[in-house]
Amino acid sequence: TEFTKMQAVALGCDANKIVILPMGVNLDHFKFKERKITPGETASILTVGRLVEKKGHEYIIKAIAKLVDKYPIKYTIVGDGPLKRDLQILINDYDINSTIKIVKTLKDEELLNIFNDAHIFALTSVTSSNCDREGQALVLQEAQAMGLPVISTIHNGIPEGVLDGKSGFLVPEKNIELLVERLEFLLKYPELWAKMGENGRAFVESKYDIKKL
């Protein structure tokens, strides 16, 4: 990413000797699907990522907790890791076990089925206490390739891989209030999902097609 490049430049590397080559997406594997919802259907929000601090799962959980009484929502986190117990305790504390499920890491075909069933993708990454951070966060390009509107954070290389306001929304790290606002906007106006999904797919095709790369 450009962000990573500038970290290298700050350490003294010659910018003219650096070429940026993003992680690519196999577009034959991550197929586009127009996202829409029928009256009375529950909106499905998805996160895929290890259960570690830098993925920021706790912030989207807290945001979901503020919206469950206003909108029919189900939220699935696919992943495993050292924070599984802590995150489950947080879910229990908010009494939203019927809304949020943590699912162990799945095989590719099972994961694609969950992507296909989702309406919105979220990845609220943060800089962890030991300074661990995301790089590109390839899963955001995979989600956009499949037509999902995305919500993520202004964090490292993520803003380079999401069209803020067009294929999704970006919010500052740990900003639960704005996260709730953006998520509620998507839940309130599902008629926007299809266009955002089209924008995301076109963006990934132009910049992240692994065959072109």
Side-chain angles (χ1 to χ4, degrees):
T1 65
E2 181 69 24
F3 182 92
T4 307
K5 170 186 173 179
M6 296 315 297
Q7 301 302 299
V9 171
L11 292 170
C13 295
D14 184 350
N16 294 320
K17 294 183 178 180
I18 300 175
V19 175
I20 297 174
L21 184 67
M23 295 282 287
V25 177
N26 183 344
L27 296 173
D28 295 330
H29 186 64
F30 294 92
K31 297 183 183 298
F32 177 81
K33 175 184 174 182
E34 182 179 295
R35 306 296 158 159
K36 53 188 175 181
I37 194 166
T38 57
E41 185 181 356
T42 299
S44 175
I45 303 166
L46 173 66
T47 294
V48 177
R50 291 185 62 237
L51 307 184
V52 294
E53 186 183 355
K54 73 176 179 181
K55 298 296 182 181
H57 296 298
E58 65 175 284
Y59 303 102
I60 185 68
I61 289 172
K62 291 175 181 178
I64 294 287
K66 292 178 180 292
L67 292 168
V68 290
D69 291 335
K70 298 178 69 175
Y71 300 92
I73 303 169
K74 64 177 180 179
Y75 175 44
T76 304
I77 302 171
V78 178
D80 202 353
L83 291 185
K84 183 175 183 178
R85 182 175 180 274
D86 291 343
L87 293 173
Q88 190 61 61
I89 289 172
L90 181 62
I91 293 166
N92 294 343
D93 287 345
Y94 279 110
D95 194 22
I96 48 177
N97 283 281
S98 61
T99 298
I100 301 180
K101 302 296 181 187
I102 299 176
V103 179
K104 67 179 181 179
T105 304
L106 302 171
K107 296 178 181 178
D108 284 354
E109 186 174 343
E110 295 172 311
L111 184 57
L112 285 175
N113 287 336
I114 287 186
F115 266 111
N116 271 322
D117 290 339
H119 298 114
I120 299 167
F121 188 87
L123 183 70
T124 51
S125 302
V126 300
T127 302
S128 67
S129 53
N130 67 355
C131 295
D132 191 14
R133 298 180 291 195
E134 297 279 12
Q136 178 180 317
L138 178 65
V139 70
L140 287 168
Q141 284 80 59
E142 293 171 345
Q144 289 172 97
M146 296 191 73
L148 284 160
V150 300
I151 290 182
S152 193
T153 48
I154 301 168
H155 170 86
N156 282 35
I158 286 177
E160 300 171 43
V162 175
L163 295 175
D164 189 20
K166 295 181 179 179
S167 67
F169 294 113
L170 299 175
V171 302
E173 292 183 28
K174 305 181 183 180
N175 190 324
I176 297 171
E177 183 178 340
L178 193 53
L179 183 57
V180 169
E181 182 182 308
R182 294 302 191 220
L183 187 54
E184 183 169 18
F185 180 85
L186 286 177
L187 292 170
K188 191 174 181 180
Y189 300 106
E191 63 271 19
L192 300 178
W193 298 351
K195 182 59 179 176
M196 295 181 86
E198 290 172 4
N199 291 340
R201 176 69 184 197
F203 174 57
V204 174
E205 287 179 351
S206 68
K207 188 175 179 182
Y208 296 99
D209 183 344
I210 197 167
K211 294 179 181 178
K212 294 178 182 177
L213 291 169

